[in-house]
Each structure stands twice: as C-alpha cells, then as structure tokens.
Amino acid sequence: GAAADAAAAAASGDERGEPAFRFGLLADIQYTDTEDRCNHTGTQWRRYRNSLLVAANAVEYFNAHELDFVIHNGDIIDHQCAFDFAADAFRPKSEGLDQLGDVMRVLSDARCKDWIFTVGNHE
C-alpha cells in the first residue's frame, strides 16, 4: 500500500532518484613515522610516512563533495607505532598516541565532521 511505497521511497532516496545519503570511505592508512621498507613477508613495499599525504588527498576529495558522513574502516596507524621489531620491544605508549594525533590532525581538515571509525587489527 501507500505506507510501504513511502517507506521504500524513504529508504532509497527521494522521488527524484537522489540517494538517501552520501558517504566517504577510507581504510588502512597504517601510518607510522618510520622509513619506507618491505612488509614483514617481503611482498609489498610500504610507504609509511607517505600515508599522511594519501589521507590528505582523501580529505581533499571528500571536501569536494557533500557527504553525510565518512567511514574510516580500521588501521589508522600501523602496528610499528607500538612495537619495535628490530629491538623486539614495545615502544612507549606516547609514541603511538603522538602518531595517531598526526593522522587525526589530517582527518580533522574534512568539512564533514560526522566520522565513523571501526577498529582494525593494528589499533
């Protein structure tokens, strides 16, 4: 009936075919303030510091669009923020928090202030 039609229209957007919402998606920034190198399996070159530039480029793209929210789908920082593999020891907690702050300062430049953060295996 009419109620079902109205509910379906609300769920899919308005009668002009506009989407119900628009969102940005970003995942796996995996920032750490360390030199570029291969991952631990030797299968991929990792550009750790460059990830801040990639995040800034994503924010610039998001700012060019009217978004209702942005989702960051885990792994804002890399596990090397917390663990020094060469020394086989945990780093001070403050180092990881500082590097998380570096990323969050970049993300805070987004016009859209409604962010949803999921937790990844490196957080």
Side-chain angles (χ1 to χ4, degrees):
D5 291 343
S12 64
D14 66 19
E15 56 276 353
R16 297 178 311 237
E18 291 294 317
F21 55 85
R22 297 176 192 273
F23 68 97
L25 177 64
L26 179 61
D28 294 297
I29 294 173
Q30 294 188 354
Y31 172 69
T32 186
D33 186 16
T34 192
E35 297 297 322
D36 296 347
R37 62 175 164 260
C38 275
N39 63 355
H40 66 279
T41 61
T43 58
Q44 183 183 38
W45 189 254
R46 304 294 306 275
R47 292 174 177 85
Y48 295 107
R49 291 184 182 122
N50 187 60
S51 62
L52 289 180
L53 177 61
V54 173
N57 288 341
V59 167
E60 182 180 336
Y61 180 83
F62 296 156
N63 286 345
H65 297 82
E66 287 297 321
L67 301 178
D68 295 296
F69 59 92
V70 179
I71 299 171
H72 184 280
N73 203 20
D75 294 338
I76 294 172
I77 55 175
D78 190 81
H79 59 279
Q80 293 180 78
C81 288
F83 196 79
D84 182 340
F85 286 90
D88 195 28
F90 284 98
R91 298 181 190 277
K93 184 178 177 181
S94 61
E95 288 184 28
L97 291 173
D98 288 345
Q99 292 177 52
L100 176 61
D102 293 339
V103 177
M104 296 309 292
R105 277 186 286 285
V106 170
L107 300 183
S108 71
D109 288 337
R111 273 192 352 220
C112 181
K113 298 302 179 190
D114 294 320
W115 283 72
I116 300 168
F117 292 92
T118 63
V119 177
N121 64 316
H122 294 166
E123 268 86 48

